Amino acid sequence: SVDASRPTDLPRFPEGDFIVQDAAQALVVRYAAIPDGATVLDACAAPGGKAIALGRTARRVLAADLRPARVRRLLENLARAGSGREMAVVADAAHPPVGAVDAVLLDAPCLGTGTFARHPDARWRVSASALTRLAEQQEALLDAVARVVRPGGLLVYATCSLEPEENGLQMARFLTTHPEFSREPPTGFPVGLRSPDGDLELFPQVHGTDGAFAARLRRRAA
């Protein structure tokens, strides 16, 4: 018999026909709307759900993560469910391992306040100092990956947090200091899942998913 509580026991799991993730993470990839055939840097890729989804239509996905242990898990997931167009590397998003690419997804380190329903113990990690430290790290990572987005390319910034300092305020700062970028939400994306600025904004108590945020930015063509 199949134990439905164990995804590894479900039919077609070993063959890589599906991955397990919250709907919010799948919506981030849908919101990113990265064009088919693009070369993509997934700058903080482990455990790989978004890289696998992007790899279905991309020409190449460079899936990077800083910690070797996380990249080992990433490699396992890519081996099972990847398309073969994903390449896993150990790399720091603060020093992107590429030149110009068509699109960058930065799923940034964050407080993770949008996942508290599933991880209630994570609340003990929340403090004003932790929020300040993470916002500063996000700022530095955004500045770094922005440099490798080709003119006319896309930068998608995402978190699984609900804090304005990590989301809307972070975008306001970035757009002020990087006038070559501007918001470009995907066409046809449901209005009920977007903020007044057009960013993806999900709340557990409203949408029945993890909390999540994503902004889709276009770099001005040369």
Side-chain angles (χ1 to χ4, degrees):
S1 63
V2 173
D3 182 355
S5 69
R6 292 172 55 88
T8 55
D9 291 343
L10 295 175
R12 307 302 300 176
F13 181 88
E15 292 81 3
D17 284 5
F18 66 92
I19 56 176
V20 179
Q21 60 182 354
D22 188 84
Q25 305 311 309
L27 284 167
V28 168
V29 175
R30 180 180 169 193
Y31 180 84
I34 293 173
D36 293 357
T39 299
V40 184
L41 170 63
D42 186 352
C44 299
K50 295 182 183 68
I52 289 168
L54 292 169
R56 295 293 189 257
T57 58
R59 182 170 71 87
R60 174 67 67 186
V61 178
L62 186 64
D65 210 277
L66 178 60
R67 298 179 183 175
R70 289 175 59 83
V71 173
R72 284 194 290 272
R73 185 181 176 195
L74 171 62
L75 283 166
E76 292 171 359
N77 289 332
L78 292 178
R80 181 184 65 82
S83 65
R85 291 184 288 272
E86 309 90 357
M87 179 184 300
V89 296
V90 177
D92 186 350
H95 304 282
V98 293
V101 292
D102 299 317
V104 173
L105 170 63
L106 176 62
D107 190 0
C110 66
L111 273 180
T113 51
T115 68
F116 281 178
R118 293 189 296 109
H119 302 292
D121 57 307
R123 298 173 187 178
W124 298 110
R125 298 197 298 267
V126 174
S127 66
S129 60
L131 177 59
T132 298
R133 174 180 55 80
L134 283 163
E136 291 173 349
Q137 183 182 12
Q138 292 156 1
E139 178 179 339
L141 295 181
L142 271 167
D143 291 345
V145 299
R147 293 193 289 269
V148 301
V149 178
R150 68 164 176 79
L154 289 169
L155 171 57
V156 180
Y157 171 78
T159 75
C160 57
S161 190
L162 305 174
E163 310 313 304
E165 293 87 346
E166 300 182 274
N167 298 334
L169 294 178
Q170 189 69 260
M171 282 297 94
R173 181 214 63 85
F174 178 82
L175 292 171
T176 298
T177 57
H178 294 77
E180 71 276 21
F181 284 89
S182 59
R183 279 185 170 95
E184 188 180 286
T187 58
F189 198 83
V191 174
L193 304 180
R194 296 189 295 175
S195 73
D197 288 324
D199 301 326
L200 174 68
E201 198 169 53
L202 302 174
F203 298 99
Q205 73 276 19
V206 175
H207 302 105
T209 69
D210 280 354
F213 172 89
R216 184 178 188 265
L217 311 177
R218 176 78 67 179
R219 183 170 190 170
R220 184 175 60 245

